[in-house]
mmCIF file of all heavy atoms in Angstrom:
data_model
loop_
_atom_site.group_PDB
_atom_site.id
_atom_site.type_symbol
_atom_site.label_atom_id
_atom_site.label_comp_id
_atom_site.label_asym_id
_atom_site.label_seq_id
_atom_site.Cartn_x
_atom_site.Cartn_y
_atom_site.Cartn_z
ATOM 1 N N LEU A 116 -55.513 -134.521 56.377
ATOM 2 C CA LEU A 116 -54.551 -135.463 55.507
ATOM 3 C C LEU A 116 -53.298 -134.730 55.236
ATOM 4 O O LEU A 116 -53.389 -133.471 54.959
ATOM 5 C CB LEU A 116 -55.317 -135.807 54.282
ATOM 6 C CG LEU A 116 -56.515 -136.619 54.125
ATOM 7 C CD1 LEU A 116 -57.016 -136.814 52.872
ATOM 8 C CD2 LEU A 116 -56.307 -138.043 54.781
ATOM 9 N N THR A 117 -52.080 -135.335 55.306
ATOM 10 C CA THR A 117 -50.956 -134.721 54.994
ATOM 11 C C THR A 117 -49.927 -135.726 54.451
ATOM 12 O O THR A 117 -49.722 -136.727 55.072
ATOM 13 C CB THR A 117 -50.324 -133.953 56.142
ATOM 14 O OG1 THR A 117 -49.225 -133.236 55.670
ATOM 15 C CG2 THR A 117 -50.121 -134.796 57.346
ATOM 16 N N PHE A 118 -49.401 -135.422 53.186
ATOM 17 C CA PHE A 118 -48.193 -136.204 52.675
ATOM 18 C C PHE A 118 -46.887 -135.789 53.401
ATOM 19 O O PHE A 118 -46.713 -134.617 53.736
ATOM 20 C CB PHE A 118 -48.121 -135.985 51.224
ATOM 21 C CG PHE A 118 -49.047 -136.721 50.328
ATOM 22 C CD1 PHE A 118 -50.127 -136.289 49.700
ATOM 23 C CD2 PHE A 118 -48.837 -138.205 50.260
ATOM 24 C CE1 PHE A 118 -50.980 -137.038 48.966
ATOM 25 C CE2 PHE A 118 -49.723 -139.012 49.539
ATOM 26 C CZ PHE A 118 -50.681 -138.448 48.835
ATOM 27 N N PHE A 119 -46.013 -136.774 53.410
ATOM 28 C CA PHE A 119 -44.637 -136.490 53.952
ATOM 29 C C PHE A 119 -43.679 -136.254 52.697
ATOM 30 O O PHE A 119 -42.905 -136.972 52.411
ATOM 31 C CB PHE A 119 -44.143 -137.720 54.716
ATOM 32 C CG PHE A 119 -42.803 -137.509 55.394
ATOM 33 C CD1 PHE A 119 -42.338 -136.144 55.859
ATOM 34 C CD2 PHE A 119 -42.033 -138.481 55.754
ATOM 35 C CE1 PHE A 119 -41.045 -135.901 56.474
ATOM 36 C CE2 PHE A 119 -40.797 -138.343 56.358
ATOM 37 C CZ PHE A 119 -40.385 -137.098 56.703
ATOM 38 N N PHE A 120 -43.736 -134.932 52.384
ATOM 39 C CA PHE A 120 -42.927 -134.617 51.196
ATOM 40 C C PHE A 120 -41.469 -134.446 51.496
ATOM 41 O O PHE A 120 -40.627 -134.413 50.667
ATOM 42 C CB PHE A 120 -43.521 -133.304 50.492
ATOM 43 C CG PHE A 120 -44.881 -133.562 49.813
ATOM 44 C CD1 PHE A 120 -45.890 -132.770 50.111
ATOM 45 C CD2 PHE A 120 -45.014 -134.519 48.877
ATOM 46 C CE1 PHE A 120 -47.167 -132.873 49.389
ATOM 47 C CE2 PHE A 120 -46.289 -134.737 48.334
ATOM 48 C CZ PHE A 120 -47.315 -133.861 48.616
ATOM 49 N N ASN A 121 -41.140 -134.001 52.693
ATOM 50 C CA ASN A 121 -39.709 -133.948 53.086
ATOM 51 C C ASN A 121 -39.076 -132.876 52.342
ATOM 52 O O ASN A 121 -37.806 -133.264 51.808
ATOM 53 C CB ASN A 121 -39.105 -135.308 53.154
ATOM 54 C CG ASN A 121 -37.842 -135.252 53.882
ATOM 55 O OD1 ASN A 121 -37.540 -134.463 54.831
ATOM 56 N ND2 ASN A 121 -36.894 -136.138 53.578
ATOM 57 N N SER A 150 -39.928 -139.493 50.389
ATOM 58 C CA SER A 150 -41.054 -140.147 51.230
ATOM 59 C C SER A 150 -42.518 -139.690 50.803
ATOM 60 O O SER A 150 -43.367 -139.712 51.468
ATOM 61 C CB SER A 150 -40.823 -139.915 52.685
ATOM 62 O OG SER A 150 -40.662 -138.511 52.978
ATOM 63 N N SER A 151 -42.560 -139.109 49.592
ATOM 64 C CA SER A 151 -43.826 -138.533 49.130
ATOM 65 C C SER A 151 -44.960 -139.530 48.964
ATOM 66 O O SER A 151 -46.079 -139.066 48.754
ATOM 67 C CB SER A 151 -43.528 -137.738 47.861
ATOM 68 O OG SER A 151 -43.109 -138.568 46.768
ATOM 69 N N ASN A 152 -44.676 -140.700 49.085
ATOM 70 C CA ASN A 152 -45.739 -141.784 49.002
ATOM 71 C C ASN A 152 -46.427 -142.084 50.328
ATOM 72 O O ASN A 152 -47.421 -142.642 50.447
ATOM 73 C CB ASN A 152 -45.227 -143.106 48.462
ATOM 74 C CG ASN A 152 -44.056 -143.680 49.421
ATOM 75 O OD1 ASN A 152 -43.239 -142.997 49.821
ATOM 76 N ND2 ASN A 152 -44.230 -144.965 49.934
ATOM 77 N N ILE A 153 -45.895 -141.450 51.446
ATOM 78 C CA ILE A 153 -46.455 -141.651 52.761
ATOM 79 C C ILE A 153 -47.328 -140.646 53.181
ATOM 80 O O ILE A 153 -47.266 -139.395 53.031
ATOM 81 C CB ILE A 153 -45.270 -141.650 53.938
ATOM 82 C CG1 ILE A 153 -44.191 -142.679 53.470
ATOM 83 C CG2 ILE A 153 -45.793 -141.854 55.244
ATOM 84 C CD1 ILE A 153 -44.711 -144.118 53.530
ATOM 85 N N LEU A 154 -48.604 -141.123 53.657
ATOM 86 C CA LEU A 154 -49.804 -140.197 53.886
ATOM 87 C C LEU A 154 -50.090 -140.529 55.346
ATOM 88 O O LEU A 154 -50.195 -141.662 55.739
ATOM 89 C CB LEU A 154 -50.766 -140.485 52.886
ATOM 90 C CG LEU A 154 -52.222 -139.750 53.191
ATOM 91 C CD1 LEU A 154 -52.091 -138.259 52.697
ATOM 92 C CD2 LEU A 154 -53.338 -140.402 52.458
ATOM 93 N N ALA A 155 -50.597 -139.405 56.061
ATOM 94 C CA ALA A 155 -51.036 -139.442 57.325
ATOM 95 C C ALA A 155 -52.506 -138.894 57.425
ATOM 96 O O ALA A 155 -52.822 -137.986 56.795
ATOM 97 C CB ALA A 155 -50.149 -138.817 58.395
ATOM 98 N N TYR A 165 -50.481 -144.258 55.818
ATOM 99 C CA TYR A 165 -50.753 -145.084 54.527
ATOM 100 C C TYR A 165 -49.522 -145.133 53.636
ATOM 101 O O TYR A 165 -48.801 -144.078 53.550
ATOM 102 C CB TYR A 165 -51.910 -144.568 53.844
ATOM 103 C CG TYR A 165 -53.270 -144.600 54.513
ATOM 104 C CD1 TYR A 165 -53.681 -143.600 55.472
ATOM 105 C CD2 TYR A 165 -54.183 -145.751 54.429
ATOM 106 C CE1 TYR A 165 -54.822 -143.689 56.129
ATOM 107 C CE2 TYR A 165 -55.268 -145.812 55.065
ATOM 108 C CZ TYR A 165 -55.736 -144.779 55.918
ATOM 109 O OH TYR A 165 -56.810 -144.947 56.604
ATOM 110 N N ASP A 166 -49.323 -146.113 52.809
ATOM 111 C CA ASP A 166 -48.498 -146.044 51.644
ATOM 112 C C ASP A 166 -49.430 -145.806 50.427
ATOM 113 O O ASP A 166 -50.232 -146.746 50.086
ATOM 114 C CB ASP A 166 -47.745 -147.381 51.573
ATOM 115 C CG ASP A 166 -46.825 -147.491 50.386
ATOM 116 O OD1 ASP A 166 -46.725 -146.518 49.651
ATOM 117 O OD2 ASP A 166 -46.110 -148.496 50.223
ATOM 118 N N ASN A 167 -49.185 -144.774 49.857
ATOM 119 C CA ASN A 167 -50.080 -144.373 48.646
ATOM 120 C C ASN A 167 -49.638 -144.997 47.274
ATOM 121 O O ASN A 167 -50.262 -144.886 46.266
ATOM 122 C CB ASN A 167 -49.954 -142.888 48.446
ATOM 123 C CG ASN A 167 -51.064 -142.372 47.384
ATOM 124 O OD1 ASN A 167 -52.290 -142.908 47.497
ATOM 125 N ND2 ASN A 167 -50.795 -141.471 46.488
ATOM 126 N N LEU A 174 -53.540 -147.642 47.755
ATOM 127 C CA LEU A 174 -53.607 -146.922 49.008
ATOM 128 C C LEU A 174 -53.775 -147.853 50.127
ATOM 129 O O LEU A 174 -54.880 -148.354 50.297
ATOM 130 C CB LEU A 174 -54.689 -145.849 48.968
ATOM 131 C CG LEU A 174 -54.856 -144.947 50.247
ATOM 132 C CD1 LEU A 174 -53.450 -144.254 50.587
ATOM 133 C CD2 LEU A 174 -55.890 -144.059 50.092
ATOM 134 N N TRP A 198 -45.611 -133.570 59.661
ATOM 135 C CA TRP A 198 -44.448 -134.540 59.616
ATOM 136 C C TRP A 198 -43.095 -133.862 59.990
ATOM 137 O O TRP A 198 -42.987 -132.671 59.658
ATOM 138 C CB TRP A 198 -44.291 -135.060 58.214
ATOM 139 C CG TRP A 198 -45.268 -136.032 57.821
ATOM 140 C CD1 TRP A 198 -46.395 -135.907 56.935
ATOM 141 C CD2 TRP A 198 -45.383 -137.477 58.194
ATOM 142 N NE1 TRP A 198 -47.159 -137.086 56.899
ATOM 143 C CE2 TRP A 198 -46.549 -138.106 57.599
ATOM 144 C CE3 TRP A 198 -44.606 -138.250 58.939
ATOM 145 C CZ2 TRP A 198 -46.787 -139.435 57.740
ATOM 146 C CZ3 TRP A 198 -44.949 -139.606 59.204
ATOM 147 C CH2 TRP A 198 -46.018 -140.137 58.592
ATOM 148 N N ASP A 379 -55.609 -127.341 49.802
ATOM 149 C CA ASP A 379 -54.211 -127.679 49.732
ATOM 150 C C ASP A 379 -53.670 -126.966 48.357
ATOM 151 O O ASP A 379 -54.536 -126.748 47.482
ATOM 152 C CB ASP A 379 -53.898 -129.190 49.580
ATOM 153 C CG ASP A 379 -52.388 -129.542 49.541
ATOM 154 O OD1 ASP A 379 -51.610 -128.788 50.135
ATOM 155 O OD2 ASP A 379 -52.101 -130.466 48.879
ATOM 156 N N VAL A 423 -55.810 -133.011 49.594
ATOM 157 C CA VAL A 423 -54.389 -132.908 49.308
ATOM 158 C C VAL A 423 -54.078 -133.227 47.926
ATOM 159 O O VAL A 423 -54.690 -134.207 47.437
ATOM 160 C CB VAL A 423 -53.564 -133.584 50.347
ATOM 161 C CG1 VAL A 423 -53.597 -133.071 51.739
ATOM 162 C CG2 VAL A 423 -53.930 -135.063 50.376
ATOM 163 N N PHE A 424 -53.057 -132.647 47.287
ATOM 164 C CA PHE A 424 -52.507 -133.149 45.992
ATOM 165 C C PHE A 424 -51.388 -134.007 46.295
ATOM 166 O O PHE A 424 -50.577 -133.807 47.346
ATOM 167 C CB PHE A 424 -51.867 -131.904 45.167
ATOM 168 C CG PHE A 424 -52.952 -130.997 44.516
ATOM 169 C CD1 PHE A 424 -53.239 -129.752 44.998
ATOM 170 C CD2 PHE A 424 -53.576 -131.447 43.442
ATOM 171 C CE1 PHE A 424 -54.198 -128.927 44.393
ATOM 172 C CE2 PHE A 424 -54.388 -130.686 42.699
ATOM 173 C CZ PHE A 424 -54.755 -129.372 43.148
ATOM 174 N N SER A 425 -51.095 -134.883 45.339
ATOM 175 C CA SER A 425 -49.935 -135.673 45.375
ATOM 176 C C SER A 425 -48.760 -134.841 44.819
ATOM 177 O O SER A 425 -48.928 -133.791 44.345
ATOM 178 C CB SER A 425 -50.103 -136.891 44.506
ATOM 179 O OG SER A 425 -50.177 -136.596 43.169
ATOM 180 N N ARG A 426 -47.427 -135.377 44.995
ATOM 181 C CA ARG A 426 -46.262 -134.609 44.490
ATOM 182 C C ARG A 426 -46.450 -134.299 43.095
ATOM 183 O O ARG A 426 -45.979 -133.144 42.607
ATOM 184 C CB ARG A 426 -45.094 -135.421 44.777
ATOM 185 C CG ARG A 426 -43.836 -134.561 44.602
ATOM 186 C CD ARG A 426 -42.564 -135.364 44.963
ATOM 187 N NE ARG A 426 -41.524 -134.419 45.035
ATOM 188 C CZ ARG A 426 -40.762 -134.265 46.071
ATOM 189 N NH1 ARG A 426 -40.852 -134.967 47.151
ATOM 190 N NH2 ARG A 426 -39.677 -133.443 46.101
ATOM 191 N N GLN A 430 -52.814 -136.706 41.370
ATOM 192 C CA GLN A 430 -53.843 -137.327 42.337
ATOM 193 C C GLN A 430 -54.317 -136.226 43.284
ATOM 194 O O GLN A 430 -53.559 -135.359 43.635
ATOM 195 C CB GLN A 430 -53.226 -138.467 43.072
ATOM 196 C CG GLN A 430 -52.758 -139.595 42.256
ATOM 197 C CD GLN A 430 -52.083 -140.786 43.216
ATOM 198 O OE1 GLN A 430 -51.515 -140.485 44.209
ATOM 199 N NE2 GLN A 430 -52.177 -142.087 42.761
ATOM 200 N N VAL A 431 -55.615 -136.401 43.617
ATOM 201 C CA VAL A 431 -56.254 -135.572 44.712
ATOM 202 C C VAL A 431 -56.811 -136.547 45.711
ATOM 203 O O VAL A 431 -57.606 -137.345 45.197
ATOM 204 C CB VAL A 431 -57.171 -134.555 44.071
ATOM 205 C CG1 VAL A 431 -57.955 -133.864 45.247
ATOM 206 C CG2 VAL A 431 -56.571 -133.632 43.243
ATOM 207 N N LEU A 432 -56.561 -136.383 47.066
ATOM 208 C CA LEU A 432 -57.241 -137.105 48.009
ATOM 209 C C LEU A 432 -58.030 -136.369 48.871
ATOM 210 O O LEU A 432 -57.630 -135.136 49.227
ATOM 211 C CB LEU A 432 -56.062 -137.920 48.840
ATOM 212 C CG LEU A 432 -55.320 -139.011 48.084
ATOM 213 C CD1 LEU A 432 -54.200 -138.583 47.348
ATOM 214 C CD2 LEU A 432 -54.900 -140.092 49.122
ATOM 215 N N ARG A 442 -59.745 -141.118 46.752
ATOM 216 C CA ARG A 442 -58.557 -140.762 45.828
ATOM 217 C C ARG A 442 -58.931 -140.665 44.394
ATOM 218 O O ARG A 442 -59.420 -141.713 43.758
ATOM 219 C CB ARG A 442 -57.460 -141.705 46.063
ATOM 220 C CG ARG A 442 -56.022 -141.264 45.622
ATOM 221 C CD ARG A 442 -54.943 -142.275 45.556
ATOM 222 N NE ARG A 442 -55.055 -143.026 44.447
ATOM 223 C CZ ARG A 442 -54.194 -144.158 44.267
ATOM 224 N NH1 ARG A 442 -53.394 -144.545 45.192
ATOM 225 N NH2 ARG A 442 -54.324 -144.869 43.260
#
Side-chain angles (χ1 to χ4, degrees):
L116 296 172
T117 182
F118 276 109
F119 185 26
F120 291 129
N121 194 23
S150 54
S151 57
N152 59 309
I153 303 300
L154 176 77
Y165 295 89
D166 180 359
N167 191 43
L174 177 62
W198 286 104
D379 190 36
V423 291
F424 282 107
S425 62
R426 187 175 196 127
Q430 294 177 334
V431 173
L432 290 85
R442 197 187 82 187

